[in-house]
Amino acid sequence: MGKRPSIHEIEQQSGIRCGPDETITEYFRRDEFRAIATEREIAAVRNAILRDQFAQERALNQDEQDAIESFYTKLAEYEPPSNGSDTGIADEGDGDLHQSDSEEPPSTGENTNQETAAESTNTPYSSSEDVLPTLDPVDTDAKGPSSSTRAHNRSRGVAAIRSRYRELKQWALSNPHQTRALLFVLLLLCAVPVGIANASYTPAGAEEQTGAAGTIDTSGTNITFIAAQGTETGFGPGIFAYNDAGELVWSHNQYFRKYFDVDPIGDDKVLFTAQKHRWSNESAGYPWVAAVYNWRTDTLVREFPVPPVTHDVDYLGGETYITANLQSHLRDEHHDDFVHVAQQRGWIPADRQNFSHNLYQLNLSTGTIEWEYRFKEHFPRSAGSGYSKGYTHLNDVDVVDNGTAVLASPRNFDRVVLIDKETKELRWTLGAEDNYDILNEQHNPVLLQLTPPVVVVADSENRRAIEYQRLPNGTWAQTWKFEPLDLAETDGFGTKDLQWPRDADRLPNGNTLITASGAGHVVEVTPDKEVVWSVSEIEKVYEAERLRYGDEPQGPPMTELRDVSLSVEKENTAAEESGGLFSVISEYYTLASWVLPAWVTQSAFYSLHLALILGLIWSRFEWLLRRRTTPL
């Protein structure tokens, strides 16, 4: 590169000091430098210093090298003025404070180096226009590079990127036709995954049904009912029925959105919850309902209102139903709408204003609430996310033990609770708030056995279906779990395809039926974790139930199916695998999928991002090109 310029050396030899607020450009524009060298030589030195300080290691051409060498030759022959009033040199009258070179006592090399380093450090280059601070000498101690060296290396890397960017920009502006062609090809490549995803997507309910309403033959088949929540913008909700060949035989998607619970009642009816129409459609009445539907004749049997976004209603026989109410009047403006409806029907007193975060058993024939459990009367605010942030987010309720107890899933408590109906005391609790080794925002637990208690549950945020058995000392042992890596061992599935499970049922044959809401899959797996049945492309699938087994089948615990060590296992491999950059990117897609069309796969989603970035680059390129060719 030739002789490297140095501001400190120039200051020492010329006696011309750089002012505290003076940039390199301003410094070399002083008249004093014109007495030393030509404009070309001064410019070459200035530019080389700027490149060096910004770590832009670009080789000088021969002309610049010659100009720099000439500048240094002249500088070596230059004698600074004796009076430094114009150049920053002290006056002779300050001799007591500023000794001349001849009056300085001899010093050791160590002191000289310290003084030089201190003077170099104090040299002010503070302008953000074109100067970075001069770096201290590198400490070659075995401890490693100094912080200033690391900062310098980072600056070099950034500067190299900027230099490369400028070179690419210059090439693009000099070759506009080639640039446009390249951008066009890149956009076409981005469009390929999007087009494939759109063309290959077949939403649930769009397939041709294999049987007509009222004539479907279910003998010898495993009809599986699946509730799909759909996206926040209304893509893909409904109730779908599949046979054992994975063929769609019936569907109901006439309501607006957010189908949650689905429970078979007998051989011809299903109970489900959904939002029937938009809130803005006031003439249609209150929108959130529980519906009993005859799927064989495709007719509605009955409807009744439930609190907004209700995830679970269970049929108890006769005209009695139990509901898990997750709503908070502090969080949802539509809470008061349900309170008004319940008051009109006489379900609650006219003076009752708060009807949230509770389990309630309703008899429709008498119009009375026969039993109620209010979580705010039994758990502190700190048990969940606070009253204004969802608190319980109750998503499941099952009446068990011959009607004497209630199994409930307050999701935001990270726990499953068994409540005695008569005393309203807790018989036991599985999990604890924020103890994610046990449960993390679980959904739809099932009690497989009362003594000792055995629970299988969709451990949603831990991305697994898991079974626990309670030990005599009150702790819980993991007796079985199904995780992303277990699903990845099956062809056609990957580790991300067990994303956000929200239902897990143990079937009487010992298999477990699991819904993966984030991936759109329903899988049936054996105790040895082999997938024996599955359906896919169901948008935000919530719950799945088998017709022949009814609601929440209580299949055998894993201790009856295989040898199980009843040790307290706290290892949570699913949670450990979910960390890192790729997990953040995947979570970003999961959140976005709530508002995207159902056909937008993960690859199509990121291709759309790249296409958007390329579009912005193209727009800026056209702007720069026009600015360059249009006279000011």
Side-chain angles (χ1 to χ4, degrees):
M1 174 176 171
K3 184 173 177 60
R4 183 183 300 275
S6 166
I7 280 285
H8 179 65
E9 186 178 357
I10 293 170
E11 285 184 311
Q12 288 295 101
Q13 293 188 29
S14 68
I16 304 172
R17 302 296 185 189
C18 187
D21 298 318
E22 196 171 32
T23 68
I24 292 291
T25 299
E26 293 169 344
Y27 176 61
F28 281 105
R29 283 176 179 168
R30 290 193 187 185
D31 291 336
E32 297 93 275
F33 284 105
R34 291 187 178 87
I36 298 175
T38 65
E39 288 288 344
R40 183 176 69 84
E41 293 164 343
I42 294 170
V45 173
R46 179 191 63 202
N47 294 339
I49 290 174
L50 289 174
R51 282 202 296 270
D52 181 51
Q53 290 201 344
F54 281 94
Q56 297 170 3
E57 290 293 334
R58 187 169 58 187
L60 298 174
N61 60 42
Q62 189 61 46
D63 184 69
E64 288 175 311
Q65 291 186 39
D66 292 341
I68 292 173
E69 293 289 352
S70 178
F71 179 91
Y72 270 82
T73 299
K74 294 179 178 180
L75 184 63
E77 300 171 351
Y78 176 73
E79 293 184 4
S82 59
N83 188 341
S85 59
D86 295 331
T87 60
I89 302 298
D91 293 332
E92 292 181 359
D94 295 330
D96 292 338
L97 297 177
H98 303 279
Q99 295 177 340
S100 66
D101 293 344
S102 61
E103 296 173 338
E104 291 181 358
S107 60
T108 64
E110 181 181 352
N111 292 337
T112 303
N113 291 337
Q114 290 176 353
E115 292 169 2
T116 303
E119 187 175 7
S120 175
T121 302
N122 294 328
T123 302
Y125 307 119
S126 58
S127 171
S128 61
E129 176 188 344
D130 56 3
V131 182
L132 291 179
T134 301
L135 298 175
D136 295 329
V138 177
D139 183 5
T140 57
D141 189 271
K143 295 180 180 178
S146 65
S147 60
S148 61
T149 301
R150 292 193 296 269
H152 180 61
N153 291 336
R154 286 194 296 268
S155 298
R156 289 168 63 92
V158 172
I161 294 173
R162 289 176 177 170
S163 177
R164 185 61 177 163
Y165 164 73
R166 283 193 291 270
E167 291 174 3
L168 289 173
K169 183 173 73 172
Q170 183 61 35
W171 179 90
L173 294 174
S174 302
N175 301 274
H177 298 300
Q178 293 92 325
T179 302
R180 291 190 181 103
L182 177 61
L183 289 170
F184 180 73
V185 170
L186 292 174
L187 282 172
L188 283 180
L189 291 176
C190 290
V192 170
V194 178
I196 291 175
N198 194 324
S200 61
Y201 178 73
T202 304
E207 304 173 16
E208 183 178 356
Q209 295 183 6
T210 59
T215 62
I216 299 174
D217 181 11
T218 61
S219 59
T221 61
N222 291 327
I223 298 296
T224 303
F225 290 102
I226 298 172
Q229 180 179 351
T231 67
E232 291 295 317
T233 49
F235 290 103
I239 303 294
F240 308 104
Y242 291 88
N243 61 18
D244 55 359
E247 300 167 329
L248 182 71
V249 297
W250 177 81
S251 65
H252 181 286
N253 51 12
Q254 303 167 20
Y255 291 172
F256 173 49
R257 63 176 181 176
K258 290 192 176 180
Y259 289 74
F260 286 107
D261 184 39
V262 57
D263 298 334
I265 300 177
D267 190 53
D268 57 354
K269 300 180 186 68
V270 289
L271 168 67
F272 58 83
T273 64
Q275 184 178 344
K276 191 172 183 179
H277 52 78
R278 297 178 184 272
W279 283 100
S280 58
N281 188 3
E282 296 181 2
S283 61
Y286 179 81
W288 270 96
V289 298
V292 178
Y293 210 87
N294 189 315
W295 66 280
R296 293 183 178 275
T297 62
D298 210 29
T299 56
L300 178 67
V301 178
R302 80 177 315 160
E303 274 182 358
F304 57 93
V306 293
V309 201
T310 292
H311 283 30
D312 191 26
V313 175
D314 274 14
Y315 176 61
L316 302 183
E319 296 290 305
T320 304
Y321 299 83
I322 190 168
T323 301
N325 177 16
L326 59 75
Q327 283 299 286
S328 168
H329 70 289
L330 296 175
R331 190 188 69 158
D332 196 300
E333 60 181 313
H334 301 301
H335 166 272
D336 293 340
D337 296 326
F338 177 77
V339 169
H340 183 65
V341 169
Q343 289 172 343
Q344 285 183 326
R345 297 191 175 215
W347 296 349
I348 61 175
D351 59 351
R352 180 169 180 178
Q353 299 300 316
N354 186 4
F355 196 81
S356 62
H357 301 300
N358 61 337
L359 305 169
Y360 66 93
Q361 181 174 308
L362 175 65
N363 189 316
L364 290 175
S365 62
T366 62
T368 57
I369 292 179
E370 300 175 335
W371 180 84
E372 182 180 4
Y373 183 88
R374 306 184 191 184
F375 275 80
K376 286 189 277 189
E377 295 178 356
H378 300 272
F379 291 88
R381 181 194 299 251
S382 59
S385 301
Y387 297 153
S388 61
K389 295 182 180 179
Y391 189 43
T392 59
H393 197 102
L394 280 165
N395 56 38
D396 189 60
V397 56
D398 297 321
V399 176
V400 297
D401 194 12
N402 297 317
T404 64
V406 174
L407 185 76
S409 172
R411 187 199 76 176
N412 288 354
F413 287 11
D414 299 315
R415 71 189 85 182
V416 175
V417 295
L418 187 68
I419 304 166
D420 188 283
K421 283 194 72 176
E422 181 178 359
T423 65
K424 297 187 179 180
E425 298 293 329
L426 293 182
R427 293 188 184 180
W428 50 254
T429 296
L430 167 62
E433 170 68 1
D434 294 336
N435 187 348
Y436 298 146
D437 280 331
I438 302 175
L439 294 174
N440 188 355
E441 298 198 350
Q442 76 292 332
H443 284 77
N444 292 320
V446 179
L447 183 64
L448 304 183
Q449 180 176 281
L450 276 169
T451 308
V454 178
V455 178
V456 63
V457 58
D459 191 7
S460 304
E461 293 297 328
N462 282 333
R463 297 190 298 131
R464 61 185 181 180
I466 192 164
E467 179 187 291
Y468 285 102
Q469 179 168 317
R470 198 165 191 259
L471 304 180
N473 63 2
T475 61
W476 292 83
Q478 291 182 16
T479 49
W480 185 81
K481 59 184 174 181
F482 187 80
E483 297 180 292
L485 289 177
D486 299 320
L487 186 60
E489 295 176 357
T490 303
D491 291 340
F493 293 96
T495 57
K496 300 299 183 185
D497 290 335
L498 197 62
Q499 204 168 54
W500 206 28
R502 292 204 287 174
D503 190 28
D505 293 340
R506 177 65 45 77
L507 305 178
N509 63 2
N511 293 346
T512 306
L513 191 64
I514 304 168
T515 67
S517 190
H521 302 308
V522 180
V523 295
E524 179 184 349
V525 300
T526 67
D528 294 325
K529 305 179 183 180
E530 177 188 358
V531 176
V532 294
W533 183 87
S534 66
V535 292
S536 299
E537 293 188 343
I538 303 173
E539 190 63 33
K540 297 297 179 290
V541 56
Y542 184 75
E543 188 179 32
E545 301 289 353
R546 284 274 162 82
L547 173 65
R548 63 173 61 183
Y549 303 135
D551 178 31
E552 306 295 356
Q554 296 177 327
M558 200 56 61
T559 52
E560 297 181 11
L561 301 172
R562 58 191 301 185
D563 292 334
V564 175
S565 174
L566 294 179
S567 60
V568 181
E569 302 178 19
K570 292 186 177 181
E571 181 183 10
N572 185 355
T573 56
E576 292 170 0
E577 293 161 6
S578 64
L581 177 61
F582 289 105
S583 176
V584 173
I585 293 174
S586 180
E587 183 68 18
Y588 170 48
Y589 167 72
T590 300
L591 294 174
S593 66
W594 283 102
V595 296
L596 292 171
W599 58 265
V600 180
T601 61
Q602 199 159 356
S603 59
F605 177 67
Y606 297 124
S607 294
L608 287 170
H609 278 66
L610 289 175
L612 176 61
I613 293 171
L614 286 171
L616 294 173
I617 291 173
W618 197 334
S619 298
R620 176 162 176 79
F621 164 72
E622 296 292 349
W623 178 78
L624 289 172
L625 191 64
R626 184 172 181 179
R627 186 167 175 238
R628 187 182 192 188
T629 56
T630 302
L632 297 177

